[in-house]
Amino acid sequence: MKSRTTIQDVAKKAMVSKVTVSYVLNGRDADVRISQETRARVLQAAEELGYRPSGVARMLVNQRSGTIAVVFQYASYFSHWSSFTSDVMRGVCEAAVVEGFDLMLHTKATETVDQELNQLLDGRVDGALVLRDGNDPMVQQLINRGFPFVLFFTRNYDPRACFVDSDNYMGGQIATDHLIKLGHRRIGMVRGSHQSTSSNDRFNGYRDALESNGIACREDHVLAIPTPDSPLGGLDDLMARPDRPTAFFIWSDDVAYPVMGRLKELGFECPRDVSIVGFDSLPSSELCSPRLTSVKQAIEEIARAATQMLVARINGEDIRQRQQIFPLTLDIRSSTGPAPDLT
Amino acid sequence: MKSRTTIQDVAKKAMVSKVTVSYVLNGRDADVRISQETRARVLQAAEELGYRPSGVARMLVNQRSGTIAVVFQYASYFSHWSSFTSDVMRGVCEAAVVEGFDLMLHTKATETVDQELNQLLDGRVDGALVLRDGNDPMVQQLINRGFPFVLFFTRNYDPRACFVDSDNYMGGQIATDHLIKLGHRRIGMVRGSHQSTSSNDRFNGYRDALESNGIACREDHVLAIPTPDSPLGGLDDLMARPDRPTAFFIWSDDVAYPVMGRLKELGFECPRDVSIVGFDSLPSSELCSPRLTSVKQAIEEIARAATQMLVARINGEDIRQRQQIFPLTLDIRSSTGPAPDLT
DNA sequence: TATACTTACTGAAACGGTTCAGCACGATGA
DNA sequence: TCATCGTGCTGAACCGTTTCAGTAAGTATA
């Protein structure tokens, strides 16, 4: 295991001090003047030795790593690396390249919050993009420490926190409005976790859309997302009732697919008997049959915005707005249609 | 910008030397004995100051970062962060967590190979998982430098190189065999780049399967994957001919979808008029209509295996086998059926 | 001929840890 | 009483850079 070529090696070969090598290689012509001959000698020595400066040593002295961390939820019912995550990463990568930052991934299922914090605070990253729930204990710790981070796809209203999120409330509204306009009056929802802000916001949007149209929001038409324990449990019962929903607004496309599958098995044709609106507008929603109407988040844009906001924080710039909320749009496809006549 | 709490601060507060702090915090009881009182004092001081050791300083002295890089192709017709990439990352993350390594992402579109190398060789990572084509100039550089890395989903037969790959040749074979067994004799292919080993292997498997069944491989039945410039150009012409293929083996599912779409527009029903076999068996292939028969790679497994191999290399273990090749399977769905009678 | 100003370069300290060798002290054994 | 040993701790060197303050020599200015 031969050890790395250091700046000292280059210095010796070029018969100058390592300081000179540093100045030449970093092109700091403004600060220190180096003669052309010396410069050439240094450059050649570096070239011949195949010298690569140690980023680690640099980080240590500069107190800056030029790297940002992306922190994911480490466990969830859905896979970490779904299409959603892909879009997120694309946005983050793009923005990071532009801003000149490298990326670290923190999806590690460490034992304790403390261990996770060690990872983030050990100087290897200048800041973090956090895709955890805004109430995660770790988030509070980061706030208290004054560590530069930006939440995305979630919220935390602490005045010291920054976040970029979709307008989930609006998402619930436009999905529900669309169904109401199609004549549906009994609109069910398959909702996400009660712990998650996004989930609650979507639900509130759904409820308010109903109520502002004079439709009562019925608890018994709201189902929880399936888990390994209770996979679509309530759906069969609900659809067996005479006052069954004629449409569903569903937490996410990933959940909408199996729901559509189950409804078909139960003999309901979509959209003739029941309409479905999903959330995320995954690429697959264009391929499935019927093509799924779905609320679309500007995932890449949000990811880019969050990255830019983080970089601004790292650079100590004044953040004009610490909260950014992006509007949502509805991709109308063929899984939604006029309400059936059930009289 | 208050500077970080250092080991020195803890030492002062606990009234010991920083060496003692280091020993206590690292639990090096075997090497150096510390009294219970001192230990307690140090621990408390560290706790009260909220001390987090600098990973950077550690890396510098240990000459080891506990981090591996994942290097992606920086440009391609397909999106970086497709479902394929998701699966790859899931496998890599899992294995990295188990092995105790952190992850850096290198998808950066740097100007030159040299700049990219700087990134990898600057000591921030102990090794790299490389998802570039095996002939990428960067790969050769890494080999020459003796940098620990493992290629995956591609190959390089240099004896100093390590790789983990799918048996693409076999993939081409089983896809084609399946079609032949269904009675197809005129089987087209939409092939990938001529530069990529995987692509050539798949093609060779396809060709050999044909020929070992007494069917000539016809150049005019082989199309290139669509690019922004020539989107599915040759397909229309090919299908207009009387000796058109009755089946296609297609480079990837991502390409298969638009091909299926176009065939439908041209009035061909799948699988009645034409059968399609894709490659990757994406989740969407279960959702699209008809459900797409597709060759499946053990993506996560390969990613895990590559990660483990890399860690072994980093740890200086003797690598038993520097090449691992994983078999492929065929997910038979409804896009393939008996050959139509075209007489 | 003394003074100031460039030019070209360098020594030493710092960044925040780890490791090695060694030291002071009290207890033990001969 | 002296050598030996174990215990508990520390000084100094080191990892590979950058930065600050300075120095020595040559050149222009007065």
Side-chain angles (χ1 to χ4, degrees), chain A residues 24-86:
Chain A
V24 169
L25 262 32
N26 294 332
R28 306 283 305 269
D29 309 274
D31 304 352
V32 172
R33 338 198 104 262
I34 307 283
S35 71
Q36 284 309 317
E37 304 164 55
T38 309
R39 175 185 309 282
R41 233 181 319 123
V42 169
L43 255 20
Q44 185 177 352
E47 169 70 22
E48 284 176 10
L49 293 172
Y51 168 67
R52 310 276 168 182
S54 156
V56 178
R58 267 194 186 148
M59 283 155 77
L60 185 58
V61 57
N62 294 338
Q63 297 288 81
R64 188 174 213 287
S65 64
T67 306
I68 61 190
V70 184
V71 181
F72 284 101
Q73 201 81 15
Y74 66 83
S76 68
Y77 174 53
F78 305 107
S79 132
H80 281 182
W81 290 95
S82 61
S83 154
F84 170 78
T85 314
S86 298

Side-chain angles (χ1 to χ4, degrees), chain B residues 24 33 43 49 71 79 91 110 124 165 168 215 229 288 336:
Chain B
V24 169
R33 339 196 104 261
L43 255 21
L49 294 172
V71 182
S79 132
T110 39
R124 297 217 298 262
D165 195 11
N168 283 288
I215 307 173
D229 298 336
C288 65
T336 45

Side-chain angles (χ1 to χ4, degrees), chain A residues 118-138:
Chain A
N118 278 342
Q119 296 251 343
L120 281 181
L121 301 173
D122 75 354
R124 296 218 298 262
V125 295
D126 296 333
L129 292 166
V130 180
L131 216 161
R132 291 280 176 83
D133 188 87
N135 305 318
D136 195 290
M138 184 192 169

Side-chain angles (χ1 to χ4, degrees), chain A residues 4 50 52 55-56 59 79 81 86 90 93 102-103 105 107 114 118-119 121-124 145 284 287-288, chain B residues 4 50 52 55-56 59 79 81 86 90 102-103 105 107 114 118-119 121-124 145 284 287-288:
Chain A
R4 77 182 355 265
R52 310 276 168 182
V56 178
M59 283 155 77
S79 132
W81 290 95
S86 298
R90 190 160 39 235
C93 285
D102 293 324
L103 254 29
L105 238 44
T107 180
D114 216 59
N118 278 342
Q119 296 251 343
L121 301 173
D122 75 354
R124 296 218 298 262
R145 290 213 154 234
S284 315
L287 292 165
C288 64
Chain B
R4 81 185 350 265
R52 309 277 169 179
V56 178
M59 282 155 77
S79 132
W81 290 95
S86 299
R90 190 161 40 235
D102 294 323
L103 253 29
L105 239 44
T107 180
D114 217 57
N118 279 342
Q119 297 251 343
L121 301 173
D122 75 354
R124 297 217 298 262
R145 291 212 154 236
S284 316
L287 293 165
C288 65

Side-chain angles (χ1 to χ4, degrees), chain B residues 172-189 206 209-210 213 215 246-250 271 274-278 293 330 332 335-339:
Chain B
Q173 274 191 315
I174 59 177
T176 312
D177 276 342
H178 170 64
L179 292 168
I180 293 173
K181 288 221 179 69
L182 285 169
H184 296 273
R185 309 290 292 173
R186 296 208 300 269
I187 301 171
M189 177 170 177
Y206 154 81
L210 288 179
N213 279 278
I215 307 173
T246 61
F248 282 98
F249 165 46
I250 299 183
V274 57
S275 288
I276 302 285
V277 180
T293 296
L330 185 64
I332 298 175
S335 68
T336 45

Side-chain angles (χ1 to χ4, degrees), chain B residues 211-260:
Chain B
E211 293 181 350
S212 68
N213 279 278
I215 307 173
C217 173
R218 300 173 48 169
E219 272 300 324
D220 57 333
H221 279 183
V222 177
L223 300 173
I225 52 167
T227 61
D229 298 336
S230 71
L232 289 176
L235 186 63
D236 294 19
D237 292 343
L238 181 55
M239 292 304 287
R241 288 162 41 177
D243 59 343
R244 68 162 181 89
T246 61
F248 282 98
F249 165 46
I250 299 183
W251 161 252
S252 79
D253 287 1
D254 279 329
V255 175
Y257 302 140
V259 168
M260 280 165 68

